[in-house]
Amino acid sequence: MNRSPQKRSFRPNIRPLPAWAMRDLLRRPMETFFLILVLSLIITVSATALLLTEALSTTAQRILADAPSLVVRKVGPGGWQPILAGPAVSSALAVPGVTEARPRLWGVVNGPDGPATVVGADSQMHRLASASAIRRLPEKGEAVAGSGIQAESDGKLNLIGTVPMAFTVIDTFSSQADITAHDIVLLHPDDARHILGLPQGYASDLAVYVYHAEEEAAILPDLSTAFDAPVRITTRSQTSGYYSAAFSRRGGIAFLSIGSTLFSMLLIVWFVTRERTGRRHEIGLLKSLGWTTGNIVSLQLYRALLIGLPAAALGVLISYGLVFAPGVKWPGYLLFGWETSGPALYLDPGGAIIILLELTALVLLPFIAAVLFPALRHAAAAPFDLIESGHP
Amino acid sequence: MRELSCHQLCFSRPAPGGRTVGILDRIDTQFTAGSMSVISGATGAGKSTLVYLLCGLLRPTGGEIRADNAPVSRWVSAHKDLWRKDVGIVFQHSHLINDLTAFENVILPLIVRHKDMKEIRSAGLTSLERLDVGHLAGKPAGKLSGGERQKVATARALCTSPGLLLADEPTAHQDDPSAAHILELFAAHARNGNIVIVVAHDRRVLSGKMADRRFRLSGGNMDQIK
């Protein structure tokens, strides 16, 4: 069982205390491996839940950044009614602060697998093509479909609105646009008008843009009285509230997993604390050999970091892959019930930093405290009592 | 360290029934650098307690211990921890960590004293070689015999070249040549300008010529043997 010291692990120019901390961990390799594994699993679950909720919030904000300031819809005794586009645009532009008013063609029809949202490709939609969401806008008889719309094997898409119609699918929206375009069918304006039963000159609603977002509320009263017929106006903040509520509710399901994660964390803390308490004699011995309380705490801190940092890196990496890797489908199924694709989610740097801080507070700090606290308590105790506790 | 002295040093332990049992009673003595002192006494006389007191692991219940005229026994733990960096201890029961190798046990005090693993490695191996146990460097302490454990513990105490070396029954499990070798190492350490205090009831220690001064601990008092 002799092991030559010449063959052992210490390399020159390594600081002794971190090197010793590593050696200390390798004394119990299975225990160290188990701790890293469990901690990384806990971090994976927590980080996945946090990343998903944060990504939903960020993605919703990105969607709303392109949304119109205000949406005007005509209402009548039977509900929504088509709006006469020309006069409506003139009326809206007459309101001070309005910079643009655009009639939109859209409505819900029956698709092959359920409801589909038909959108007429107006002149403004060239932005979609330029943003690489699609290759080109559809001509008459053609359609661009979201990933949630399944065409026939020959590329034909049958839709039933006020009349049944068949289209040739020439393109699908890119995955980046999936969260907004999953069930959308983009048609030539004439086709859209035909299947939705909208007479020439009429639109589904009016998208109104204002110069300053802060002016939305101020413009609202003037805009609501600018039309001949009664209208219902939805502001961007109302839309934002809808998205936030919907995403928060769905993201909350994922967030629930943090409860079980925290329970696991408590088990880890208990395990580590118990293990540290079992090493009272060793701490007493180290103190008798000239180690200070600071040395002992430093050693434990290195130990905690040598376990915690790789576990955190591994956990965050796995969770990032689970949420953001191309082709990952489970978030789409969990959040929206999509079976064929997942939404393209986004994360901004600020959100990522907040998540890292949350993970540090939820998982890393309790773990480090669980390692440090017993060591600090024993290191501050009388060394004689500690040594005697392990008397052979 | 040039001098270690006890002034009216007392120590007593609490006993059942709210009583206290006196172990050491008003000991006055001093140990100077360059000398090796041997303290003998019957089992239970308080020899090990005196070692723990002298290295600051126990606090006296009366009197004080001064090192270079500084009242170390009155210091707070943090200061005593720092002072103990200049103290080497050979415990009566070795107190090795069983799942570390002999080499790793020896370098334990060096980890917090040096900044370079090369130096630590070299000092640890040299110290083991001096005790003739270099060949055991890679063997787990849990698999060493009593005598080997004692030698490794001695190597650990000597490897830092401490100003104060305290040894509690360092030769109890040794054969005659090994005991003589250990005592020679202690004497050499003392001759290098350090304080060496050996506590033993081993006749080989008591009758040996290495010690500069001899004391006998009895009834809580310590008397120098002429």
PDB file of all heavy atoms in Angstrom, chain A residues 12 16 21 248 269 282:
ATOM      1  N   PRO A  12       4.843  22.091  -8.438  1.00  0.00           N
ATOM      2  CA  PRO A  12       5.477  23.290  -7.931  1.00  0.00           C
ATOM      3  C   PRO A  12       4.658  24.540  -8.236  1.00  0.00           C
ATOM      4  O   PRO A  12       3.832  24.555  -9.148  1.00  0.00           O
ATOM      5  CB  PRO A  12       6.815  23.315  -8.670  1.00  0.00           C
ATOM      6  CG  PRO A  12       6.633  22.416  -9.832  1.00  0.00           C
ATOM      7  CD  PRO A  12       5.614  21.418  -9.458  1.00  0.00           C
ATOM      8  N   PRO A  16      -0.036  26.635  -1.371  1.00  0.00           N
ATOM      9  CA  PRO A  16      -0.257  25.440  -0.559  1.00  0.00           C
ATOM     10  C   PRO A  16      -1.705  25.244  -0.089  1.00  0.00           C
ATOM     11  O   PRO A  16      -2.212  24.128  -0.141  1.00  0.00           O
ATOM     12  CB  PRO A  16       0.669  25.663   0.639  1.00  0.00           C
ATOM     13  CG  PRO A  16       1.723  26.577   0.144  1.00  0.00           C
ATOM     14  CD  PRO A  16       1.066  27.458  -0.856  1.00  0.00           C
ATOM     15  N   ALA A  21      -6.525  22.052  -0.089  1.00  0.00           N
ATOM     16  CA  ALA A  21      -7.994  21.919  -0.149  1.00  0.00           C
ATOM     17  C   ALA A  21      -8.379  20.889  -1.212  1.00  0.00           C
ATOM     18  O   ALA A  21      -9.264  20.051  -0.998  1.00  0.00           O
ATOM     19  CB  ALA A  21      -8.631  23.274  -0.463  1.00  0.00           C
ATOM     20  N   SER A 248     -46.282  35.066 -17.040  1.00  0.00           N
ATOM     21  CA  SER A 248     -45.951  34.849 -15.639  1.00  0.00           C
ATOM     22  C   SER A 248     -46.664  33.607 -15.126  1.00  0.00           C
ATOM     23  O   SER A 248     -46.106  32.822 -14.370  1.00  0.00           O
ATOM     24  CB  SER A 248     -46.354  36.052 -14.790  1.00  0.00           C
ATOM     25  OG  SER A 248     -45.632  37.162 -15.212  1.00  0.00           O
ATOM     26  N   VAL A 269     -27.288  20.958   2.750  1.00  0.00           N
ATOM     27  CA  VAL A 269     -26.759  21.751   3.860  1.00  0.00           C
ATOM     28  C   VAL A 269     -26.659  20.871   5.113  1.00  0.00           C
ATOM     29  O   VAL A 269     -25.654  20.888   5.825  1.00  0.00           O
ATOM     30  CB  VAL A 269     -27.658  22.981   4.111  1.00  0.00           C
ATOM     31  CG1 VAL A 269     -27.332  23.636   5.447  1.00  0.00           C
ATOM     32  CG2 VAL A 269     -27.481  23.984   2.980  1.00  0.00           C
ATOM     33  N   GLU A 282     -10.014  16.857  13.806  1.00  0.00           N
ATOM     34  CA  GLU A 282      -9.048  17.302  12.805  1.00  0.00           C
ATOM     35  C   GLU A 282      -8.808  18.809  12.924  1.00  0.00           C
ATOM     36  O   GLU A 282      -7.665  19.267  12.813  1.00  0.00           O
ATOM     37  CB  GLU A 282      -9.603  16.958  11.425  1.00  0.00           C
ATOM     38  CG  GLU A 282      -8.560  16.994  10.346  1.00  0.00           C
ATOM     39  CD  GLU A 282      -9.117  16.467   9.039  1.00  0.00           C
ATOM     40  OE1 GLU A 282      -9.751  15.398   9.046  1.00  0.00           O
ATOM     41  OE2 GLU A 282      -8.947  17.155   8.023  1.00  0.00           O
TER      42      GLU A 282
END
